[in-house]
Amino acid sequence: MNIEETPLPGIGVRRELQLGIGRRVGVVTHRDGRTELILSRADDPDACAASIPLTAEEAAGLGQLLGSAQLVAQLTAEQENVSGISTHQILIRKGSAFAGRTMGDTQMRSRTGASIVALLRDGDVIGSPRPDEVLHVGDLVVIVGTDDGLAEAALILQSKA
């Protein structure tokens, strides 16, 4: 996809991309640091249908959310080329035996042959998390392995304390 960058004299810079449905979505970064999320009208991709002001924290959070989805999509696409290997996401729920414990405590790889490749936490991506990383309620654990290994991994992470 091409991201088009347009200088807006006296205002800042607009960066946008055209979606497959014909609409444009983008961001205007103002010279004073303000940020707006923009969406074109359905009937006129050059006209603005919505402009949503974002704080710096909101803009970063939105970027992280979109980045998280991209990571999971990339992992899924990559595993499609490897026969017998899949990607699965498991949510750490309240009451999980491993909420508040380290990933190493799960002994995931030894017990199942599956590998935890990322954690999605509060919009952040923790890629290749270390064994001393503590699992939190609400973490989405991204695991790669065989179907049997992933089923065992789900049982482990969803077991009750």
Side-chain angles (χ1 to χ4, degrees):
M1 298 201 122
N2 286 338
I3 295 177
E4 295 179 29
E5 185 171 307
T6 306
L8 303 172
I11 297 172
V13 177
R14 179 179 67 216
R15 292 177 183 90
E16 62 185 351
L17 59 91
Q18 184 157 348
L19 305 176
I21 60 172
R23 294 181 91 164
R24 292 176 180 261
V25 65
V27 174
V28 174
T29 305
H30 293 259
R31 289 175 25 167
D32 64 4
R34 291 180 299 124
T35 304
E36 290 177 79
L37 178 65
I38 57 172
L39 178 67
S40 71
R41 289 186 8 202
D43 62 337
D44 183 356
D46 292 325
C48 188
S51 173
I52 303 166
L54 301 173
T55 65
E57 184 178 60
E58 292 165 341
L62 181 59
Q64 291 170 349
L65 285 174
L66 294 171
S68 299
Q70 183 180 8
L71 171 67
V72 171
Q74 181 180 352
L75 288 170
T76 301
E78 287 176 2
Q79 64 87 23
E80 287 176 358
N81 297 327
V82 181
S83 179
I85 300 294
S86 298
T87 303
H88 195 66
Q89 302 168 44
I90 300 169
L91 181 65
I92 301 296
R93 298 181 191 282
K94 185 176 180 180
S96 166
F98 292 99
R101 294 176 58 192
T102 67
M103 285 190 3
D105 289 343
T106 68
Q107 299 180 348
M108 187 65 63
R109 189 167 170 79
S110 299
R111 293 169 69 184
T112 69
S115 296
I116 297 174
V117 296
L119 295 176
L120 307 179
R121 177 183 296 151
D122 297 326
D124 290 328
V125 176
I126 302 170
S128 301
R130 297 170 41 103
D132 61 353
E133 183 70 44
V134 175
L135 295 169
H136 299 272
V137 171
D139 283 355
L140 192 60
V141 181
V142 181
I143 304 174
V144 174
T146 63
D147 288 342
D148 289 342
L150 294 174
E152 291 176 48
L155 290 175
I156 291 168
L157 293 176
Q158 293 171 348
S159 64
K160 299 290 181 190

